Amino acid sequence: MEKYQILSEKETEDYIMEIQKSGSILGLENIRELMSELGDIQEELHVIHVAGTNGKGSVCAMLEAVLMEAGIRVGKYTSPAVFRSEECYRVNGESIRKKEFTEVISQVKAACDRMTGRGLNQPTVFEVETAAAFLYFYQKNCEIVILETGMGGATDATNIIRKSLVSVLTSVSRDHMGFLGDTLEEIARVKAGIIKEDGKVVAGAPAQEVRKVIDEVCRERNASVVYTCAQQVEDVHIAENRLCFYHTALGEMKLKMMGKYQVQNALCAIETIHQLVKQGYAISREQLKQGLEQAEWEGRFSCLWEKPFFVIDGAHNEAAAQELRETLEMGFTKCKIIYIIGVLADKEHEKMLRCMLPLAEKVFTITPHNPRAMAGEDLAKEARKYHREVTFVPKIEEAVKLALEAADREQGMVLAFGSLSYLGEIKNALKEIKIHDR
């Protein structure tokens, strides 16, 4: 590793903010040059690569918990951050420390400076952060790295890796159409770009047109694919704030991750672990079961407050909204539900509203602090097409207070959803609210 100047925390923050201005550029040319500067250390890592529209983060969390239960030193890289940037880089469940983050970003910046010094492009923020993840996991001697793609697959910066233990494809649905394609087939082909030559693939039970694309790519690359089987699961229900079901191989399961959609994610994780066992990793049935039941992933139907019940969920497109609705219909039909909704402008918010609003008692809309955010006033206008009780609230903290008060009056629950980008602010607002304030 060449010499580099260690940045301060402030300099690191400033550097990240500065390179964010260049936006997103799909393609592997930049990251290839950057990793070459860093010695191509990503090729030394043993990677589980995860792509898909919904469910990536949940599957990654489940795999992390199972591997930790089996005593395997595991690194996990996910994005975007929900609550703080350090959570994107984890080793054995522990987020990277600020000092460690500053250290790896300093090394990556030095490599970027050498690139720009040769007249090459400055890598994007996602490329810099992905390179930092590879470097961090290499330095931490991780035995397995769980790598979540950002937006796509084929041209995603994480796809610089030449091989993987398993390529995992969670659900594929319409999202990021401006970048990935207008049809399910086009989007599926981009996601399937993570499939490697002679690789092992696990895919959630996809739509027929998606399955056709995955099969084609697997044939092209001589890869073998296993699809999850919903028939392995029976008696799905919510009890005592757990998602309960019977699995034909693992028996009675009680997951902390409550969303009904987590059944499909668990099936993906189970098949992925089976692939690792076939490759010689020692992971027992009991470790698989224990890990799945202990797995947690904040922001996916996770409870932040018990009385009234306050849940946050990162549902941000039509498919995720449908899954969220099914969860509510399965376990919360006797409860009046108060919504807080904030969305990004490039999402199919109208379809999401049409799906979700019939279950609401009252709706508060907000504007997420994100350059891609849809104005809360405009969202409220859209929402009033499907619900009469809709109020725009300028401040997120005020929306949380109003929602809690309404839930108290109705003896109901609060559900905040629409975009992962503002859930951290929801959590912080809840921390500040004292009982006497309500």
Side-chain angles (χ1 to χ4, degrees):
M1 189 70 66
E2 298 190 33
K3 289 184 178 180
Y4 59 93
Q5 177 186 351
I6 298 179
L7 303 173
S8 66
E9 285 186 19
K10 177 68 165 60
E11 288 170 332
T12 301
E13 290 173 8
D14 290 345
Y15 177 63
I16 295 292
M17 288 182 65
E18 179 61 30
I19 59 177
Q20 276 177 337
K21 296 174 184 176
S22 63
S24 298
I25 302 172
L26 296 179
L28 300 179
E29 186 177 344
N30 261 11
I31 188 71
R32 194 171 283 124
E33 289 285 348
L34 178 53
M35 294 313 302
S36 176
E37 285 286 345
L38 293 168
D40 281 324
I41 44 86
Q42 78 279 1
E43 299 305 332
E44 303 297 318
L45 303 174
H46 301 284
V47 173
I48 300 171
H49 203 185
V50 184
T53 306
N54 299 314
K56 299 193 300 285
S58 296
V59 171
C60 289
M62 291 175 180
L63 291 171
E64 176 189 46
V66 172
L67 294 175
M68 286 171 58
E69 186 69 22
I72 295 169
R73 186 170 178 80
V74 56
K76 179 165 73 88
Y77 176 55
T78 56
S79 63
V82 180
F83 301 116
R84 59 193 187 94
S85 58
E86 289 85 3
E87 75 191 35
C88 296
Y89 312 79
R90 286 160 58 111
V91 172
N92 279 0
E94 295 291 327
S95 297
I96 190 172
R97 295 186 178 92
K98 284 187 179 294
K99 183 178 179 182
E100 293 173 317
F101 182 65
T102 296
E103 175 81 16
V104 291
I105 291 294
S106 298
Q107 294 173 67
V108 175
K109 180 182 182 299
C112 291
D113 290 345
R114 293 194 294 272
M115 285 175 59
T116 56
R118 302 202 316 268
L120 300 175
N121 291 330
Q122 163 65 45
T124 66
V125 67
F126 185 65
E127 289 165 341
V128 166
E129 290 175 345
T130 300
F134 287 135
L135 193 58
Y136 181 60
F137 298 139
Y138 175 76
Q139 293 173 349
K140 286 291 186 177
N141 298 312
C142 292
E143 296 172 85
I144 291 180
V145 169
I146 302 166
L147 196 62
E148 180 191 8
T149 61
M151 187 186 301
T155 54
D156 188 85
T158 61
N159 206 33
I160 184 69
I161 59 169
R162 294 191 179 94
K163 60 185 185 298
S164 62
L165 297 171
V166 190
S167 298
V168 184
L169 296 167
T170 65
S171 71
V172 176
S173 58
R174 288 166 57 84
D175 201 6
H176 298 297
M177 281 83 74
F179 290 92
L180 305 182
D182 296 321
T183 68
L184 267 183
E185 290 92 340
E186 289 173 334
I187 294 169
R189 190 160 288 279
V190 173
K191 305 282 186 186
I194 70 166
I195 295 172
K196 305 304 181 192
E197 197 73 31
D198 299 318
K200 306 297 182 185
V201 182
V202 168
Q208 197 59 43
E209 57 266 49
V210 172
R211 183 167 182 151
K212 183 180 177 183
V213 171
I214 294 171
D215 286 341
E216 285 176 0
V217 175
C218 285
R219 281 195 298 272
E220 290 166 7
R221 299 178 189 175
N222 196 37
S224 60
V225 59
V226 175
Y227 292 101
T228 59
C229 178
Q231 284 68 40
Q232 292 178 320
V233 170
E234 301 169 2
D235 190 25
V236 180
H237 62 282
I238 291 175
E240 299 177 355
N241 292 343
R242 293 279 184 138
L243 178 68
C244 306
F245 59 89
Y246 178 83
H247 186 272
T248 53
L250 299 178
E252 294 291 340
M253 300 292 296
K254 296 182 179 180
L255 305 190
K256 289 183 179 179
M257 299 163 74
M258 273 191 292
K260 184 182 178 182
Y261 48 87
Q262 299 295 4
V263 172
Q264 178 58 49
N265 293 331
L267 290 175
C268 265
I270 290 166
E271 290 298 344
T272 303
I273 294 299
H274 287 166
Q275 290 299 316
L276 294 183
V277 170
K278 288 178 181 178
Q279 294 178 48
Y281 287 91
I283 305 167
S284 69
R285 174 184 177 277
E286 192 57 33
Q287 288 166 339
L288 173 54
K289 180 180 171 68
Q290 288 288 330
L292 288 172
E293 292 191 332
Q294 291 169 12
E296 296 183 84
W297 188 231
E298 279 194 305
R300 276 68 173 187
F301 211 87
S302 46
C303 177
L304 300 184
W305 199 316
E306 289 286 346
K307 293 183 180 179
F309 199 56
F310 195 118
V311 172
I312 56 175
D313 191 278
H316 60 277
N317 53 40
E318 183 184 12
Q322 184 58 47
E323 291 172 339
L324 178 56
R325 175 173 176 144
E326 289 173 6
T327 299
L328 295 176
E329 289 174 334
M330 181 172 64
F332 301 91
T333 52
K334 297 178 181 178
C335 188
K336 292 184 177 179
I337 308 171
I338 314 301
Y339 287 175
I340 301 173
I341 312 176
V343 303
L344 302 185
D346 58 355
K347 301 297 179 181
E348 293 186 301
H349 51 271
E350 190 167 359
K351 292 178 180 178
M352 184 172 66
L353 294 173
R354 190 186 306 135
C355 172
M356 288 296 298
L357 292 197
L359 301 186
E361 180 73 14
K362 186 184 287 285
V363 179
F364 297 103
T365 67
I366 59 94
T367 306
H369 292 136
N370 187 301
R372 291 160 51 210
M374 180 180 186
E377 303 99 313
D378 295 336
L379 180 61
K381 289 177 186 175
E382 291 278 358
R384 290 188 187 106
K385 296 177 184 177
Y386 310 103
H387 204 286
R388 292 161 62 182
E389 289 285 326
V390 179
T391 306
F392 164 63
V393 185
K395 293 185 178 180
I396 290 177
E397 298 85 353
E398 186 63 23
V400 170
K401 286 184 180 180
L402 291 171
L404 284 169
E405 289 168 3
D408 272 345
R409 286 195 305 272
E410 303 291 349
Q411 294 185 316
M413 66 177 279
V414 179
L415 171 62
F417 69 98
S419 172
L420 283 170
S421 65
Y422 79 98
L423 298 185
E425 296 173 78
I426 292 282
K427 186 175 182 180
N428 291 335
L430 271 173
K431 283 181 181 178
E432 297 298 321
I433 294 172
K434 307 296 182 183
I435 297 299
H436 66 262
D437 291 331
R438 296 164 41 212

